[in-house]
Amino acid sequence: ISFNSSPATQTRNFSSAGFFVGNRGLLGNRASVTESFKMMVDDIFGAGKGAADEELKLIENVREGIRYGALDENIVAAELGAVLKAINKKGIKSTDELTAILTKGQGGAGILSKMGGKASRVYAGGDNVWKWYAYNWYKSFLTDFAKKDLKRMSTWFDEIAGQKLPKTKFDGTKMDLDEAIKLGAAYYVRNTMPTYSLVPKIIQTLKATPLGNFVSFPSEMIRTSFNTLRVNLREMSSSDPIMRSMGIRGAMGQFTVMGGISMATHGIYNGITGISEELMDKYKMYVAPEFQRNSDLVPISTVDENGVFKVVDLSTLIGYDTVIRPFEAAINKFKRQKANPQDIDK
């Protein structure tokens, strides 16, 4: 709990989650990050403290996000719940007893109630700010694309989502354009940004084991990276020029996040520090700790008289490292083969 509530962790979580929208090129004035951030802050800290009309708008926004799947459940709560179920320490006869101690304490509010409630919601809010931003961005885009014609959204479902537009809404009434746009925007968010309720059953089971902590995140990085590429290609193959331009935007966004940002950062800091990529390769090969041998390391200082310099690990900031690292490892493996032949299967 203390780890997830630390300012550094919250800042990194919010900053790195921004790459999820960058991965699809969602820039421009179609939606407001400021408004999305305000909504999350109000939901966590300000509920019941604002004017009636503001409260109603906040409640409706949150309900809409959850109803269509654009806002997801809290990852921290899910992970913690899986761990609690696996705990069975001496003196605690059941997980219910342990949970009661943590949440209710001895005659008062428990540890989680006091410390974990808002901390865990803030942690999840780092993702939800960007997901709400993306949801509204897509609603704006699909509104322009649809041109007030429900048939165009039906075509979108056929070509991009690969499924039929439902004939009815959640309440059983006839499908209309507004509902179709919301469903389309939510589809984009759920399939191109981490949505932990969609984690496969085997991953959910793995979370309860000692080796399963936060395994949902890399699983989602793999799923959403594949889905983003698929959505980009489907859009680029669309019969509609507006959709084709969106596909190109998405492809450029994915290229930028997956490698372009790293290339640019290396170019800038290599020039500033005078440390070449060749030297960085040798550092990673012979000096860096084992866990950073395949990381994306960038020098941030010049080499001093003792041959010492500082580096930053970009892999800890860019969530897509899960997808990129295997390729980095393969390339590094071939580089090292020249100096120290090894069994390639390793």
Side-chain angles (χ1 to χ4, degrees), residues 21-34:
V21 297
N23 194 48
R24 277 280 289 163
L26 304 188
L27 306 175
N29 59 356
R30 288 187 178 276
S32 169
V33 176
T34 303

Side-chain angles (χ1 to χ4, degrees), residues 273-293:
T273 63
I275 298 176
S276 66
E277 277 300 290
E278 182 181 2
L279 178 57
M280 285 304 302
D281 285 342
K282 290 180 178 178
Y283 167 78
K284 289 198 294 184
M285 190 180 300
Y286 301 113
V287 180
E290 186 64 32
F291 66 87
Q292 285 188 327
R293 293 291 169 90

Side-chain angles (χ1 to χ4, degrees), residues 47-335:
K49 299 179 182 179
D53 57 340
E54 293 179 350
E55 287 291 314
L56 290 174
K57 181 180 178 181
L58 170 64
I59 292 171
E60 183 53 36
N61 283 338
V62 174
R63 281 179 177 173
E64 180 181 330
I66 295 174
R67 183 187 305 124
Y68 293 96
L71 301 182
D72 197 27
E73 62 186 290
N74 189 334
I75 182 174
V76 175
E79 297 287 352
L80 185 58
V83 173
L84 287 176
K85 290 178 182 178
I87 291 179
N88 188 15
K89 291 185 176 181
K90 186 177 179 180
I92 300 176
K93 297 179 180 179
S94 68
T95 56
D96 289 339
E97 184 179 344
L98 174 62
T99 302
I101 292 174
L102 292 173
T103 57
K104 298 178 182 179
Q106 303 294 332
I111 298 172
L112 297 186
S113 299
K114 291 180 179 179
M115 299 176 60
K118 283 186 171 55
S120 61
R121 294 186 71 193
V122 168
Y123 187 91
D127 285 346
N128 283 336
V129 166
W130 293 109
K131 294 177 81 169
W132 185 248
Y133 168 85
Y135 176 67
N136 284 286
W137 199 101
Y138 284 124
K139 281 204 301 182
S140 174
F141 166 72
L142 290 175
T143 298
D144 288 349
F145 165 77
K147 299 179 180 178
K148 300 182 180 180
D149 185 353
L150 183 59
K151 290 183 179 179
R152 287 179 64 81
M153 282 305 301
S154 180
T155 300
W156 180 90
F157 271 87
D158 288 337
E159 292 187 347
I160 311 305
Q163 60 192 51
K164 294 294 181 181
L165 174 65
K167 295 182 179 180
T168 59
K169 300 193 288 187
F170 288 122
D171 59 6
T173 58
K174 186 177 180 180
M175 178 64 60
D176 57 29
L177 181 60
D178 181 65
E179 183 79 357
I181 288 173
K182 290 177 180 177
L183 289 173
Y187 172 89
Y188 272 130
V189 172
R190 289 196 314 273
N191 287 282
T192 63
M193 302 178 73
T195 305
Y196 300 103
S197 58
L198 299 180
V199 170
K201 188 69 176 178
I202 188 172
I203 299 297
Q204 295 180 22
T205 303
L206 186 60
K207 289 193 300 184
T209 71
L211 301 177
N213 288 337
F214 287 94
V215 72
S216 300
F217 182 76
S219 171
E220 278 299 278
M221 288 298 96
I222 294 171
R223 182 185 73 89
T224 56
S225 295
F226 171 79
N227 284 343
T228 298
L229 180 60
R230 181 172 59 182
V231 167
N232 290 340
L233 292 174
R234 283 180 174 178
E235 289 173 336
M236 293 168 69
S237 304
S238 172
S239 58
D240 189 275
I242 297 177
M243 196 55 63
R244 289 199 297 271
S245 68
M246 183 64 218
I248 294 172
R249 173 194 284 264
M252 291 300 295
Q254 192 167 28
F255 168 79
T256 300
V257 170
M258 292 289 192
I261 291 177
S262 174
M263 291 170 62
T265 304
H266 278 270
I268 292 171
Y269 280 92
N270 288 348
I272 293 175
T273 63
I275 298 176
S276 66
E277 277 300 290
E278 182 181 2
L279 178 57
M280 285 304 302
D281 285 342
K282 290 180 178 178
Y283 167 78
K284 289 198 294 184
M285 190 180 300
Y286 301 113
V287 180
E290 186 64 32
F291 66 87
Q292 285 188 327
R293 293 291 169 90
N294 298 311
S295 295
D296 188 5
L297 303 181
V298 177
I300 60 170
S301 73
T302 57
V303 181
D304 66 17
E305 63 275 8
N306 297 315
V308 177
F309 60 95
K310 297 179 181 179
V311 299
V312 164
D313 189 350
L314 287 184
S315 302
T316 62
L317 178 64
I318 300 177
Y320 294 97
D321 176 65
T322 299
V323 181
I324 299 170
R325 189 176 289 257
F327 297 98
E328 183 77 17
I331 292 171
N332 289 339
K333 178 66 177 176
F334 280 103
K335 288 180 181 177

Side-chain angles (χ1 to χ4, degrees), residues 8-54:
T9 301
Q10 303 295 355
T11 301
R12 189 187 69 170
N13 184 54
F14 176 77
S15 301
S16 61
F19 287 106
F20 301 150
V21 297
N23 194 48
R24 277 280 289 163
L26 304 188
L27 306 175
N29 59 356
R30 288 187 178 276
S32 169
V33 176
T34 303
E35 287 299 314
S36 301
F37 187 79
K38 182 178 183 300
M39 192 194 85
M40 287 303 123
V41 171
D42 288 345
D43 177 42
I44 296 170
F45 297 105
K49 299 179 182 179
D53 57 340
E54 293 179 350

